[in-house]
Amino acid sequence: MTVPTQKPARKLSMQQRYSALTHDLDWDPTYVTEDEMYPYTTFEGIKVHDWSKWEDPFRLTVEAYNKYQSEKDRRLYAVLDGFAQSQGQLNLTEARYMNAMKIFLQGIPSGEYQAHRNFSHLARYFNGPGARFASLCQSMDELRHAQTEIHTLSHYNKFFGGMHDWNKMSDRVWYLSVPKSFFDDAGTAGPFEWLIAIGFSFEYLLTNLLFVPFMSGAAFNGDLPTMTFGFSAQSDESRHMTLGLEGIKFMLEQDEDNLPIVQAWLDKWFWRGYRLISLVAGMMDYMLPKRVMSWKEAFELYFEEQMLNGLFKDLEYYGIKPPRHVQWAIDEKEILSHQVYWVLYQYSHAAAFTTTIPNAEDQAWLEEAYPDTWPVFKSVVWDKAQRVVDSGERYFNPGLPQLCQVCQIPMGFTEPGNPLVQCQRHSIYEGERFDFCSDGCQWIFDREPEKYVQAWLPVHQIYQGNCGGPTLPDVAVWYGLEPGDGGEYIGSMDHQDWLAWHAPTIKEG
Ligand code: FE
Ligand code: ZN
């Protein structure tokens, strides 16, 4: 046996260097208490004994972070320039593809900006330097996402309706209160709940269900800018997912009293997030002229397989159980997109996107993707809508829908196991009745009724006279809608423009 020779002291390891660059710059306050310096990390009941246990597994420095991000931005903006110069919008599959991007632009960048603000808050108010620095990076990422999304889609705004007032719309229009209320709910929670809501449930559990369909949908439909933006953001997502996972593990490892609090947040935010991305289900199955995969397939792959059978098996070690209403979501996977798109179809006269009856090709695809449920929906819903069209009309629902008090989606979901019976739950709070779309939303309300009674429900606001006036044209003006933004796709301004751009040109000579 040889005696190991003593090696001379080497350079610092990656981890030591990172720690020296971040954690070692931290200090203990002397003239204020820790509670005075970090006043927001105790009221939620999460017990932390040792903040230094929070590891940032990415070990990025500010210098490296900026270098990576600016390189990614350079690539994105080069693609955007090339696309604009070559009139790339003409090579999309069809103009109706843009409807998915309209909803994305109206609903997502303002959420990214909210995320930017809240992660900045965490970057200041978390007690540990590891948690603060990871939050700072995510805060910068989210600002970049908001900017790159707006820049990416601004090119299309020159050619298509529905994209001109996205920021005003995201504050006002009925279906956009769904994402807005989601981020408002998370942003008004404490820092740890925010981390479970956004960092874990949204970024970890559900992010692939949001990003993969959008990115591959963009790729399949000739939308190079959105695809490039998506890849650029997706590489940040892996860091965000890690922060979310690190956050939940940190809470669970610090004190076993944290388990029930974390579990309840997870139950709540799984359902909130799942209801929010039901818009994605409608988009995937109905709005893309060329489909990538069905909502059902995506849900099975990215949620059931990767999360339920993967991640939650790992979290079992800490005592974490799968989200409370997960079975309901599984049961809905065959019908979710049909129900959501039907709601969008009926009310698109008051929206900044257009809808249309699935054409023959779409219907063949739906039949194959949903052999059990599509035929029922076709006969109950679309055949009737088609008869209306055949008679020279278009069906729009003239009334205002009842909204779920929690997710704010019109009540169009059905009882589990019975897609022909609308699901409705209600709770009484201080003598007043509140209605919900599902057990999940009711459970969330019953935990914190004092929060959800304050919800800004678009339909109630219209009835109270807070949305520009009593008639649809009044409300449309207040929403910022312009002619050509919404309604039926066939014959719409976008459709007519598209046909004109692609009309065969007659060559002279
Ligand atoms: Fe983001
Ligand atoms: Zn609901």
mmCIF file with all atom_site columns, all heavy atoms in Angstrom, residues 458-480:
data_model
loop_
_atom_site.group_PDB
_atom_site.id
_atom_site.type_symbol
_atom_site.label_atom_id
_atom_site.label_alt_id
_atom_site.label_comp_id
_atom_site.label_asym_id
_atom_site.label_entity_id
_atom_site.label_seq_id
_atom_site.pdbx_PDB_ins_code
_atom_site.Cartn_x
_atom_site.Cartn_y
_atom_site.Cartn_z
_atom_site.occupancy
_atom_site.B_iso_or_equiv
_atom_site.pdbx_formal_charge
_atom_site.auth_seq_id
_atom_site.auth_comp_id
_atom_site.auth_asym_id
_atom_site.auth_atom_id
_atom_site.pdbx_PDB_model_num
ATOM 1   N N   . PRO A 1 458 ? -65.197 39.991 -13.254 1.00 0.00 ? 458 PRO A N   1
ATOM 2   C CA  . PRO A 1 458 ? -65.568 40.848 -14.383 1.00 0.00 ? 458 PRO A CA  1
ATOM 3   C C   . PRO A 1 458 ? -67.074 40.975 -14.595 1.00 0.00 ? 458 PRO A C   1
ATOM 4   O O   . PRO A 1 458 ? -67.564 42.080 -14.863 1.00 0.00 ? 458 PRO A O   1
ATOM 5   C CB  . PRO A 1 458 ? -64.911 40.154 -15.582 1.00 0.00 ? 458 PRO A CB  1
ATOM 6   C CG  . PRO A 1 458 ? -63.727 39.473 -14.997 1.00 0.00 ? 458 PRO A CG  1
ATOM 7   C CD  . PRO A 1 458 ? -64.151 39.016 -13.627 1.00 0.00 ? 458 PRO A CD  1
ATOM 8   N N   . VAL A 1 459 ? -67.814 39.885 -14.460 1.00 0.00 ? 459 VAL A N   1
ATOM 9   C CA  . VAL A 1 459 ? -69.254 39.959 -14.713 1.00 0.00 ? 459 VAL A CA  1
ATOM 10  C C   . VAL A 1 459 ? -69.944 40.814 -13.643 1.00 0.00 ? 459 VAL A C   1
ATOM 11  O O   . VAL A 1 459 ? -70.778 41.677 -13.949 1.00 0.00 ? 459 VAL A O   1
ATOM 12  C CB  . VAL A 1 459 ? -69.875 38.545 -14.793 1.00 0.00 ? 459 VAL A CB  1
ATOM 13  C CG1 . VAL A 1 459 ? -71.392 38.628 -14.791 1.00 0.00 ? 459 VAL A CG1 1
ATOM 14  C CG2 . VAL A 1 459 ? -69.386 37.831 -16.068 1.00 0.00 ? 459 VAL A CG2 1
ATOM 15  N N   . HIS A 1 460 ? -69.572 40.620 -12.401 1.00 0.00 ? 460 HIS A N   1
ATOM 16  C CA  . HIS A 1 460 ? -70.157 41.445 -11.330 1.00 0.00 ? 460 HIS A CA  1
ATOM 17  C C   . HIS A 1 460 ? -69.826 42.922 -11.557 1.00 0.00 ? 460 HIS A C   1
ATOM 18  O O   . HIS A 1 460 ? -70.650 43.810 -11.324 1.00 0.00 ? 460 HIS A O   1
ATOM 19  C CB  . HIS A 1 460 ? -69.614 41.013 -9.963  1.00 0.00 ? 460 HIS A CB  1
ATOM 20  C CG  . HIS A 1 460 ? -70.106 39.663 -9.539  1.00 0.00 ? 460 HIS A CG  1
ATOM 21  N ND1 . HIS A 1 460 ? -69.992 39.207 -8.253  1.00 0.00 ? 460 HIS A ND1 1
ATOM 22  C CD2 . HIS A 1 460 ? -70.701 38.676 -10.233 1.00 0.00 ? 460 HIS A CD2 1
ATOM 23  C CE1 . HIS A 1 460 ? -70.511 37.984 -8.170  1.00 0.00 ? 460 HIS A CE1 1
ATOM 24  N NE2 . HIS A 1 460 ? -70.941 37.649 -9.367  1.00 0.00 ? 460 HIS A NE2 1
ATOM 25  N N   . GLN A 1 461 ? -68.608 43.170 -12.008 1.00 0.00 ? 461 GLN A N   1
ATOM 26  C CA  . GLN A 1 461 ? -68.176 44.554 -12.233 1.00 0.00 ? 461 GLN A CA  1
ATOM 27  C C   . GLN A 1 461 ? -68.995 45.210 -13.346 1.00 0.00 ? 461 GLN A C   1
ATOM 28  O O   . GLN A 1 461 ? -69.327 46.382 -13.265 1.00 0.00 ? 461 GLN A O   1
ATOM 29  C CB  . GLN A 1 461 ? -66.679 44.598 -12.565 1.00 0.00 ? 461 GLN A CB  1
ATOM 30  C CG  . GLN A 1 461 ? -65.786 44.171 -11.410 1.00 0.00 ? 461 GLN A CG  1
ATOM 31  C CD  . GLN A 1 461 ? -65.934 45.041 -10.175 1.00 0.00 ? 461 GLN A CD  1
ATOM 32  O OE1 . GLN A 1 461 ? -66.045 46.263 -10.279 1.00 0.00 ? 461 GLN A OE1 1
ATOM 33  N NE2 . GLN A 1 461 ? -65.945 44.425 -9.003  1.00 0.00 ? 461 GLN A NE2 1
ATOM 34  N N   . ILE A 1 462 ? -69.311 44.420 -14.382 1.00 0.00 ? 462 ILE A N   1
ATOM 35  C CA  . ILE A 1 462 ? -70.153 44.954 -15.466 1.00 0.00 ? 462 ILE A CA  1
ATOM 36  C C   . ILE A 1 462 ? -71.527 45.312 -14.897 1.00 0.00 ? 462 ILE A C   1
ATOM 37  O O   . ILE A 1 462 ? -72.041 46.416 -15.107 1.00 0.00 ? 462 ILE A O   1
ATOM 38  C CB  . ILE A 1 462 ? -70.282 43.932 -16.613 1.00 0.00 ? 462 ILE A CB  1
ATOM 39  C CG1 . ILE A 1 462 ? -68.930 43.779 -17.333 1.00 0.00 ? 462 ILE A CG1 1
ATOM 40  C CG2 . ILE A 1 462 ? -71.369 44.380 -17.622 1.00 0.00 ? 462 ILE A CG2 1
ATOM 41  C CD1 . ILE A 1 462 ? -68.883 42.646 -18.361 1.00 0.00 ? 462 ILE A CD1 1
ATOM 42  N N   . TYR A 1 463 ? -72.107 44.374 -14.113 1.00 0.00 ? 463 TYR A N   1
ATOM 43  C CA  . TYR A 1 463 ? -73.435 44.627 -13.543 1.00 0.00 ? 463 TYR A CA  1
ATOM 44  C C   . TYR A 1 463 ? -73.434 45.821 -12.592 1.00 0.00 ? 463 TYR A C   1
ATOM 45  O O   . TYR A 1 463 ? -74.430 46.518 -12.444 1.00 0.00 ? 463 TYR A O   1
ATOM 46  C CB  . TYR A 1 463 ? -73.951 43.379 -12.819 1.00 0.00 ? 463 TYR A CB  1
ATOM 47  C CG  . TYR A 1 463 ? -74.526 42.340 -13.767 1.00 0.00 ? 463 TYR A CG  1
ATOM 48  C CD1 . TYR A 1 463 ? -74.185 40.992 -13.645 1.00 0.00 ? 463 TYR A CD1 1
ATOM 49  C CD2 . TYR A 1 463 ? -75.413 42.699 -14.783 1.00 0.00 ? 463 TYR A CD2 1
ATOM 50  C CE1 . TYR A 1 463 ? -74.703 40.035 -14.505 1.00 0.00 ? 463 TYR A CE1 1
ATOM 51  C CE2 . TYR A 1 463 ? -75.924 41.757 -15.658 1.00 0.00 ? 463 TYR A CE2 1
ATOM 52  C CZ  . TYR A 1 463 ? -75.583 40.423 -15.510 1.00 0.00 ? 463 TYR A CZ  1
ATOM 53  O OH  . TYR A 1 463 ? -76.090 39.485 -16.368 1.00 0.00 ? 463 TYR A OH  1
ATOM 54  N N   . GLN A 1 464 ? -72.293 46.047 -11.944 1.00 0.00 ? 464 GLN A N   1
ATOM 55  C CA  . GLN A 1 464 ? -72.221 47.188 -11.013 1.00 0.00 ? 464 GLN A CA  1
ATOM 56  C C   . GLN A 1 464 ? -71.945 48.506 -11.732 1.00 0.00 ? 464 GLN A C   1
ATOM 57  O O   . GLN A 1 464 ? -71.831 49.564 -11.107 1.00 0.00 ? 464 GLN A O   1
ATOM 58  C CB  . GLN A 1 464 ? -71.136 46.930 -9.967  1.00 0.00 ? 464 GLN A CB  1
ATOM 59  C CG  . GLN A 1 464 ? -71.533 45.888 -8.926  1.00 0.00 ? 464 GLN A CG  1
ATOM 60  C CD  . GLN A 1 464 ? -70.366 45.504 -8.032  1.00 0.00 ? 464 GLN A CD  1
ATOM 61  O OE1 . GLN A 1 464 ? -69.524 46.339 -7.710  1.00 0.00 ? 464 GLN A OE1 1
ATOM 62  N NE2 . GLN A 1 464 ? -70.311 44.246 -7.635  1.00 0.00 ? 464 GLN A NE2 1
ATOM 63  N N   . GLY A 1 465 ? -71.753 48.423 -13.048 1.00 0.00 ? 465 GLY A N   1
ATOM 64  C CA  . GLY A 1 465 ? -71.545 49.658 -13.820 1.00 0.00 ? 465 GLY A CA  1
ATOM 65  C C   . GLY A 1 465 ? -70.116 50.165 -13.818 1.00 0.00 ? 465 GLY A C   1
ATOM 66  O O   . GLY A 1 465 ? -69.863 51.339 -14.091 1.00 0.00 ? 465 GLY A O   1
ATOM 67  N N   . ASN A 1 466 ? -69.165 49.265 -13.517 1.00 0.00 ? 466 ASN A N   1
ATOM 68  C CA  . ASN A 1 466 ? -67.762 49.708 -13.426 1.00 0.00 ? 466 ASN A CA  1
ATOM 69  C C   . ASN A 1 466 ? -66.955 49.472 -14.697 1.00 0.00 ? 466 ASN A C   1
ATOM 70  O O   . ASN A 1 466 ? -65.738 49.614 -14.682 1.00 0.00 ? 466 ASN A O   1
ATOM 71  C CB  . ASN A 1 466 ? -67.071 49.008 -12.253 1.00 0.00 ? 466 ASN A CB  1
ATOM 72  C CG  . ASN A 1 466 ? -67.724 49.351 -10.929 1.00 0.00 ? 466 ASN A CG  1
ATOM 73  O OD1 . ASN A 1 466 ? -68.228 50.466 -10.773 1.00 0.00 ? 466 ASN A OD1 1
ATOM 74  N ND2 . ASN A 1 466 ? -67.719 48.411 -9.995  1.00 0.00 ? 466 ASN A ND2 1
ATOM 75  N N   . CYS A 1 467 ? -67.618 49.061 -15.770 1.00 0.00 ? 467 CYS A N   1
ATOM 76  C CA  . CYS A 1 467 ? -66.855 48.674 -16.967 1.00 0.00 ? 467 CYS A CA  1
ATOM 77  C C   . CYS A 1 467 ? -67.337 49.441 -18.200 1.00 0.00 ? 467 CYS A C   1
ATOM 78  O O   . CYS A 1 467 ? -67.525 48.861 -19.276 1.00 0.00 ? 467 CYS A O   1
ATOM 79  C CB  . CYS A 1 467 ? -66.932 47.170 -17.187 1.00 0.00 ? 467 CYS A CB  1
ATOM 80  S SG  . CYS A 1 467 ? -66.316 46.224 -15.777 1.00 0.00 ? 467 CYS A SG  1
ATOM 81  N N   . GLY A 1 468 ? -67.538 50.704 -18.042 1.00 0.00 ? 468 GLY A N   1
ATOM 82  C CA  . GLY A 1 468 ? -67.806 51.544 -19.211 1.00 0.00 ? 468 GLY A CA  1
ATOM 83  C C   . GLY A 1 468 ? -69.262 51.769 -19.538 1.00 0.00 ? 468 GLY A C   1
ATOM 84  O O   . GLY A 1 468 ? -69.573 52.688 -20.291 1.00 0.00 ? 468 GLY A O   1
ATOM 85  N N   . GLY A 1 469 ? -70.152 50.936 -19.024 1.00 0.00 ? 469 GLY A N   1
ATOM 86  C CA  . GLY A 1 469 ? -71.572 51.134 -19.333 1.00 0.00 ? 469 GLY A CA  1
ATOM 87  C C   . GLY A 1 469 ? -72.324 49.827 -19.385 1.00 0.00 ? 469 GLY A C   1
ATOM 88  O O   . GLY A 1 469 ? -71.739 48.764 -19.234 1.00 0.00 ? 469 GLY A O   1
ATOM 89  N N   . PRO A 1 470 ? -73.646 49.904 -19.610 1.00 0.00 ? 470 PRO A N   1
ATOM 90  C CA  . PRO A 1 470 ? -74.484 48.715 -19.493 1.00 0.00 ? 470 PRO A CA  1
ATOM 91  C C   . PRO A 1 470 ? -74.545 47.854 -20.751 1.00 0.00 ? 470 PRO A C   1
ATOM 92  O O   . PRO A 1 470 ? -75.011 46.721 -20.692 1.00 0.00 ? 470 PRO A O   1
ATOM 93  C CB  . PRO A 1 470 ? -75.859 49.294 -19.181 1.00 0.00 ? 470 PRO A CB  1
ATOM 94  C CG  . PRO A 1 470 ? -75.848 50.648 -19.812 1.00 0.00 ? 470 PRO A CG  1
ATOM 95  C CD  . PRO A 1 470 ? -74.434 51.129 -19.780 1.00 0.00 ? 470 PRO A CD  1
ATOM 96  N N   . THR A 1 471 ? -74.091 48.352 -21.906 1.00 0.00 ? 471 THR A N   1
ATOM 97  C CA  . THR A 1 471 ? -74.256 47.556 -23.126 1.00 0.00 ? 471 THR A CA  1
ATOM 98  C C   . THR A 1 471 ? -72.928 46.944 -23.553 1.00 0.00 ? 471 THR A C   1
ATOM 99  O O   . THR A 1 471 ? -71.855 47.405 -23.138 1.00 0.00 ? 471 THR A O   1
ATOM 100 C CB  . THR A 1 471 ? -74.787 48.424 -24.283 1.00 0.00 ? 471 THR A CB  1
ATOM 101 O OG1 . THR A 1 471 ? -73.746 49.350 -24.659 1.00 0.00 ? 471 THR A OG1 1
ATOM 102 C CG2 . THR A 1 471 ? -76.038 49.184 -23.879 1.00 0.00 ? 471 THR A CG2 1
ATOM 103 N N   . LEU A 1 472 ? -73.038 45.941 -24.404 1.00 0.00 ? 472 LEU A N   1
ATOM 104 C CA  . LEU A 1 472 ? -71.822 45.296 -24.890 1.00 0.00 ? 472 LEU A CA  1
ATOM 105 C C   . LEU A 1 472 ? -70.876 46.276 -25.587 1.00 0.00 ? 472 LEU A C   1
ATOM 106 O O   . LEU A 1 472 ? -69.673 46.261 -25.307 1.00 0.00 ? 472 LEU A O   1
ATOM 107 C CB  . LEU A 1 472 ? -72.175 44.120 -25.808 1.00 0.00 ? 472 LEU A CB  1
ATOM 108 C CG  . LEU A 1 472 ? -70.966 43.332 -26.327 1.00 0.00 ? 472 LEU A CG  1
ATOM 109 C CD1 . LEU A 1 472 ? -70.218 42.649 -25.200 1.00 0.00 ? 472 LEU A CD1 1
ATOM 110 C CD2 . LEU A 1 472 ? -71.392 42.325 -27.381 1.00 0.00 ? 472 LEU A CD2 1
ATOM 111 N N   . PRO A 1 473 ? -71.367 47.155 -26.469 1.00 0.00 ? 473 PRO A N   1
ATOM 112 C CA  . PRO A 1 473 ? -70.450 48.125 -27.088 1.00 0.00 ? 473 PRO A CA  1
ATOM 113 C C   . PRO A 1 473 ? -69.748 49.017 -26.061 1.00 0.00 ? 473 PRO A C   1
ATOM 114 O O   . PRO A 1 473 ? -68.560 49.324 -26.217 1.00 0.00 ? 473 PRO A O   1
ATOM 115 C CB  . PRO A 1 473 ? -71.367 48.959 -28.007 1.00 0.00 ? 473 PRO A CB  1
ATOM 116 C CG  . PRO A 1 473 ? -72.517 48.040 -28.309 1.00 0.00 ? 473 PRO A CG  1
ATOM 117 C CD  . PRO A 1 473 ? -72.710 47.211 -27.078 1.00 0.00 ? 473 PRO A CD  1
ATOM 118 N N   . ASP A 1 474 ? -70.464 49.403 -24.998 1.00 0.00 ? 474 ASP A N   1
ATOM 119 C CA  . ASP A 1 474 ? -69.830 50.210 -23.946 1.00 0.00 ? 474 ASP A CA  1
ATOM 120 C C   . ASP A 1 474 ? -68.661 49.447 -23.319 1.00 0.00 ? 474 ASP A C   1
ATOM 121 O O   . ASP A 1 474 ? -67.576 49.980 -23.121 1.00 0.00 ? 474 ASP A O   1
ATOM 122 C CB  . ASP A 1 474 ? -70.822 50.512 -22.803 1.00 0.00 ? 474 ASP A CB  1
ATOM 123 C CG  . ASP A 1 474 ? -71.988 51.386 -23.246 1.00 0.00 ? 474 ASP A CG  1
ATOM 124 O OD1 . ASP A 1 474 ? -71.794 52.181 -24.174 1.00 0.00 ? 474 ASP A OD1 1
ATOM 125 O OD2 . ASP A 1 474 ? -73.085 51.232 -22.655 1.00 0.00 ? 474 ASP A OD2 1
ATOM 126 N N   . VAL A 1 475 ? -68.946 48.195 -22.987 1.00 0.00 ? 475 VAL A N   1
ATOM 127 C CA  . VAL A 1 475 ? -67.925 47.386 -22.319 1.00 0.00 ? 475 VAL A CA  1
ATOM 128 C C   . VAL A 1 475 ? -66.742 47.145 -23.264 1.00 0.00 ? 475 VAL A C   1
ATOM 129 O O   . VAL A 1 475 ? -65.577 47.217 -22.864 1.00 0.00 ? 475 VAL A O   1
ATOM 130 C CB  . VAL A 1 475 ? -68.525 46.052 -21.819 1.00 0.00 ? 475 VAL A CB  1
ATOM 131 C CG1 . VAL A 1 475 ? -67.439 45.143 -21.243 1.00 0.00 ? 475 VAL A CG1 1
ATOM 132 C CG2 . VAL A 1 475 ? -69.606 46.304 -20.766 1.00 0.00 ? 475 VAL A CG2 1
ATOM 133 N N   . ALA A 1 476 ? -67.058 46.893 -24.551 1.00 0.00 ? 476 ALA A N   1
ATOM 134 C CA  . ALA A 1 476 ? -65.992 46.630 -25.527 1.00 0.00 ? 476 ALA A CA  1
ATOM 135 C C   . ALA A 1 476 ? -65.046 47.831 -25.631 1.00 0.00 ? 476 ALA A C   1
ATOM 136 O O   . ALA A 1 476 ? -63.826 47.663 -25.702 1.00 0.00 ? 476 ALA A O   1
ATOM 137 C CB  . ALA A 1 476 ? -66.596 46.307 -26.888 1.00 0.00 ? 476 ALA A CB  1
ATOM 138 N N   . VAL A 1 477 ? -65.612 49.033 -25.593 1.00 0.00 ? 477 VAL A N   1
ATOM 139 C CA  . VAL A 1 477 ? -64.771 50.227 -25.646 1.00 0.00 ? 477 VAL A CA  1
ATOM 140 C C   . VAL A 1 477 ? -63.887 50.297 -24.409 1.00 0.00 ? 477 VAL A C   1
ATOM 141 O O   . VAL A 1 477 ? -62.684 50.548 -24.477 1.00 0.00 ? 477 VAL A O   1
ATOM 142 C CB  . VAL A 1 477 ? -65.642 51.513 -25.770 1.00 0.00 ? 477 VAL A CB  1
ATOM 143 C CG1 . VAL A 1 477 ? -64.808 52.766 -25.514 1.00 0.00 ? 477 VAL A CG1 1
ATOM 144 C CG2 . VAL A 1 477 ? -66.307 51.565 -27.142 1.00 0.00 ? 477 VAL A CG2 1
ATOM 145 N N   . TRP A 1 478 ? -64.493 50.030 -23.262 1.00 0.00 ? 478 TRP A N   1
ATOM 146 C CA  . TRP A 1 478 ? -63.739 50.091 -22.006 1.00 0.00 ? 478 TRP A CA  1
ATOM 147 C C   . TRP A 1 478 ? -62.635 49.021 -21.980 1.00 0.00 ? 478 TRP A C   1
ATOM 148 O O   . TRP A 1 478 ? -61.557 49.239 -21.436 1.00 0.00 ? 478 TRP A O   1
ATOM 149 C CB  . TRP A 1 478 ? -64.719 49.900 -20.836 1.00 0.00 ? 478 TRP A CB  1
ATOM 150 C CG  . TRP A 1 478 ? -64.086 50.144 -19.496 1.00 0.00 ? 478 TRP A CG  1
ATOM 151 C CD1 . TRP A 1 478 ? -63.815 51.355 -18.916 1.00 0.00 ? 478 TRP A CD1 1
ATOM 152 C CD2 . TRP A 1 478 ? -63.643 49.142 -18.573 1.00 0.00 ? 478 TRP A CD2 1
ATOM 153 N NE1 . TRP A 1 478 ? -63.233 51.159 -17.682 1.00 0.00 ? 478 TRP A NE1 1
ATOM 154 C CE2 . TRP A 1 478 ? -63.126 49.817 -17.443 1.00 0.00 ? 478 TRP A CE2 1
ATOM 155 C CE3 . TRP A 1 478 ? -63.647 47.750 -18.588 1.00 0.00 ? 478 TRP A CE3 1
ATOM 156 C CZ2 . TRP A 1 478 ? -62.600 49.141 -16.343 1.00 0.00 ? 478 TRP A CZ2 1
ATOM 157 C CZ3 . TRP A 1 478 ? -63.123 47.072 -17.489 1.00 0.00 ? 478 TRP A CZ3 1
ATOM 158 C CH2 . TRP A 1 478 ? -62.614 47.771 -16.385 1.00 0.00 ? 478 TRP A CH2 1
ATOM 159 N N   . TYR A 1 479 ? -62.920 47.880 -22.601 1.00 0.00 ? 479 TYR A N   1
ATOM 160 C CA  . TYR A 1 479 ? -61.918 46.807 -22.691 1.00 0.00 ? 479 TYR A CA  1
ATOM 161 C C   . TYR A 1 479 ? -60.757 47.179 -23.623 1.00 0.00 ? 479 TYR A C   1
ATOM 162 O O   . TYR A 1 479 ? -59.696 46.578 -23.562 1.00 0.00 ? 479 TYR A O   1
ATOM 163 C CB  . TYR A 1 479 ? -62.567 45.526 -23.258 1.00 0.00 ? 479 TYR A CB  1
ATOM 164 C CG  . TYR A 1 479 ? -63.312 44.656 -22.259 1.00 0.00 ? 479 TYR A CG  1
ATOM 165 C CD1 . TYR A 1 479 ? -63.952 43.494 -22.691 1.00 0.00 ? 479 TYR A CD1 1
ATOM 166 C CD2 . TYR A 1 479 ? -63.364 44.973 -20.907 1.00 0.00 ? 479 TYR A CD2 1
ATOM 167 C CE1 . TYR A 1 479 ? -64.640 42.673 -21.798 1.00 0.00 ? 479 TYR A CE1 1
ATOM 168 C CE2 . TYR A 1 479 ? -64.050 44.160 -20.012 1.00 0.00 ? 479 TYR A CE2 1
ATOM 169 C CZ  . TYR A 1 479 ? -64.691 43.009 -20.468 1.00 0.00 ? 479 TYR A CZ  1
ATOM 170 O OH  . TYR A 1 479 ? -65.358 42.206 -19.587 1.00 0.00 ? 479 TYR A OH  1
ATOM 171 N N   . GLY A 1 480 ? -61.003 48.130 -24.512 1.00 0.00 ? 480 GLY A N   1
ATOM 172 C CA  . GLY A 1 480 ? -59.979 48.461 -25.511 1.00 0.00 ? 480 GLY A CA  1
ATOM 173 C C   . GLY A 1 480 ? -60.116 47.641 -26.780 1.00 0.00 ? 480 GLY A C   1
ATOM 174 O O   . GLY A 1 480 ? -59.187 47.560 -27.575 1.00 0.00 ? 480 GLY A O   1
#
